[in-house]
Amino acid sequence: MARRSVQFWRIEQLNGDALTRPFPARRVADVVRKAREDGTDRHFTSSDGTVLLAQTAAVSPNPVLLLDRVRDTNLPSVGDPLGRRKPLPLAPGDHLLETTYFAFLKRNVIAVLTSGNGPRASRMGEYLGGMLGLEPALVPVVREDIEEILARLEVSRFEFALPAERLSGKLMEGEWADVLDSASRLMTEGTFRISLSVGRSGKAEDKQRIRDRIQQLIDLFRRAGSVEHFDYVVAEGKDSLTGDREVVDLLKERFISHIDVDADVFNDPAKSVAEAVAILNKQARDNEAFFARTLPHTKGAPDNGAVPDLVAGGVVAVRAAMAAAVASREEPESRDEPKPQEGSKPQEAQGGAGHELVRG
């Protein structure tokens, strides 16, 4: 088994304007799908040189896009049974594709399935801005039902960190005050971090006692008036209702689900996309009531007219070509050719869902 996380984000702005209508996700999915069918180059190069490539994985019930980080340099090595290293066996023209999956849900929520190797969520905003001119602003969904989540959480790990200069027993009560005071005498700089976990071994009743104790410490932290001094306070465990692994950031209270998946399935290009779509659709169903209770409703129909057809090089290249055409009319004696624009790439990555080399 392997661990994956599902992050939840919300599109709050589009091109700088408040977004009250549904995001035109189905139109985006159709445009990207058609571009692939037409053989249109869909590569986009971000300002830091990262090459991104989008592909439509599903249109309904929820539009799902996968976003690959395309790599053909600085690739990992492969080891044989004796540990001898050799290059990753890529055929000429192949690239390494590291994938993140994005499902567009109701209320302009995006569920992001990632292993940590693929592009982060903000890369989708870069891609849609560079290729379609949409520029969505993504903000994390927070858990306003934090009490309900913690009540269902069968906690297995509790971790916190704070800068050494803030170490003080005044932040906590009881033995925690002694722990922090002792640490303050040992550290004057850096970061102080403590992690408590149930562990894998031991009797069930012993593990339950540890869980109960960790839960008491979590409650103590949440009641303390100085939690804002901490850099990091996290509780992790299993949701007793859904069975999913959950990570609750007690400072930001961001909504992140951790799930266990079959590693063999996710390493199989022919099966990974279908499995990812199924996981994201389940997450949409499981959390629909929470989103309806905590997030504003989006009214009206999506503005499909805001999504142009995708062309090679994206809107950056189109705008540059238009500017060059205007300049050539104004200065007919000029013979300068427009420079290649960011977002273009001469060769399409080989293979789609059935031919990706994905690190999992």
Side-chain angles (χ1 to χ4, degrees), residues 39 81 127 296 315:
Y127 187 86
V315 295

Side-chain angles (χ1 to χ4, degrees), residues 295-310:
L295 298 177
H297 180 61
T298 51
K299 300 179 180 179
D303 182 9
N304 291 326
V307 186
D309 289 333
L310 192 149

Side-chain angles (χ1 to χ4, degrees), residues 110-132:
I110 300 180
V112 182
L113 174 62
T114 177
S115 65
N117 292 326
R120 59 184 182 272
S122 61
R123 292 292 194 184
M124 178 58 78
E126 291 182 38
Y127 187 86
L128 294 179
M131 298 300 284
L132 298 172

Side-chain angles (χ1 to χ4, degrees), residues 3 18-19 31 40 48 64 117 127 131 166-167 195 201 211 213 220 236 240 244 279 295 317 325 337 346 354 360:
R3 178 67 59 87
L19 187 62
V31 165
T40 303
D48 63 359
V64 178
N117 292 326
Y127 187 86
M131 298 300 284
R166 297 181 190 170
L167 288 172
S195 180
S201 60
R211 287 194 182 94
R213 181 56 179 147
L220 179 60
E236 179 179 358
S240 59
D244 293 337
I279 289 172
L295 298 177
E337 294 292 332

Side-chain angles (χ1 to χ4, degrees), residues 23-324:
F23 180 77
R26 188 161 279 105
R27 164 66 178 165
V28 170
D30 284 337
V31 165
V32 174
R33 175 186 53 78
K34 185 176 184 299
R36 184 186 179 191
E37 292 174 352
D38 294 343
T40 303
D41 184 5
R42 308 183 313 281
H43 292 85
F44 174 73
T45 304
S46 63
S47 58
D48 63 359
T50 300
V51 179
L52 303 171
L53 176 66
Q55 177 176 306
T56 297
V59 175
S60 63
N62 301 295
V64 178
L65 297 182
L66 60 85
L67 188 65
D68 289 316
R69 177 168 53 205
V70 183
R71 292 175 54 192
D72 52 15
T73 59
N74 194 28
L75 300 178
S77 301
V78 175
D80 66 13
L82 297 178
R84 290 188 292 260
R85 302 169 68 85
K86 54 185 178 181
L88 194 67
L90 297 182
D94 281 354
H95 302 80
L96 182 67
L97 304 180
E98 297 171 311
T99 308
T100 301
Y101 300 86
F102 297 77
F104 294 81
L105 314 182
K106 297 177 182 178
R107 300 176 186 274
N108 292 330
V109 173
I110 300 180
V112 182
L113 174 62
T114 177
S115 65
N117 292 326
R120 59 184 182 272
S122 61
R123 292 292 194 184
M124 178 58 78
E126 291 182 38
Y127 187 86
L128 294 179
M131 298 300 284
L132 298 172
L134 295 180
E135 302 176 11
L138 303 182
V139 296
V141 174
V142 297
R143 297 181 178 231
E144 296 182 18
D145 61 345
I146 189 69
E147 300 289 348
E148 176 185 339
I149 294 295
L150 288 176
R152 298 204 313 255
L153 191 69
E154 297 177 0
V155 65
S156 59
R157 182 177 69 91
F158 178 51
E159 186 170 335
F160 69 90
L162 71 163
E165 65 269 16
R166 297 181 190 170
L167 288 172
S168 171
K170 296 179 181 179
L171 292 174
M172 292 290 132
E173 300 173 356
E175 65 258 43
W176 279 108
D178 295 333
V179 170
L180 296 178
D181 279 337
S182 298
S184 66
R185 290 191 292 270
L186 296 173
M187 297 180 62
T188 57
E189 58 184 19
T191 299
F192 179 75
R193 182 182 294 263
I194 285 182
S195 180
L196 305 173
S197 64
V198 174
R200 297 179 181 274
S201 60
K203 299 179 179 179
E205 55 269 27
D206 293 334
K207 290 184 177 180
Q208 188 57 50
R209 278 199 300 270
I210 296 173
R211 287 194 182 94
D212 293 341
R213 181 56 179 147
I214 291 177
Q215 187 63 58
Q216 293 174 6
L217 296 174
I218 291 173
D219 294 338
L220 179 60
F221 266 86
R222 297 193 65 225
R223 290 197 306 268
S226 304
V227 171
E228 67 273 10
H229 291 292
F230 290 80
D231 287 343
Y232 180 80
V233 183
V234 162
E236 179 179 358
K238 183 177 72 172
D239 188 316
S240 59
L241 185 62
T242 67
D244 293 337
R245 301 295 298 179
E246 302 280 2
V247 176
V248 181
D249 187 327
L250 297 178
L251 296 182
K252 299 179 181 178
E253 297 180 355
R254 289 180 53 178
F255 196 175
I256 301 174
S257 291
H258 282 216
I259 56 177
D260 292 322
V261 301
D262 187 331
D264 291 336
V265 170
F266 266 85
N267 288 333
D268 184 340
K271 300 178 181 178
S272 59
V273 173
E275 182 71 8
V277 171
I279 289 172
L280 291 170
N281 284 334
K282 181 179 184 300
Q283 289 288 322
R285 294 191 300 269
D286 289 347
N287 296 293
E288 183 174 3
F290 167 68
F291 296 142
R293 188 171 65 250
T294 60
L295 298 177
H297 180 61
T298 51
K299 300 179 180 179
D303 182 9
N304 291 326
V307 186
D309 289 333
L310 192 149
V311 298
V315 295
V316 176
V318 172
R319 291 168 180 166
M322 293 174 62

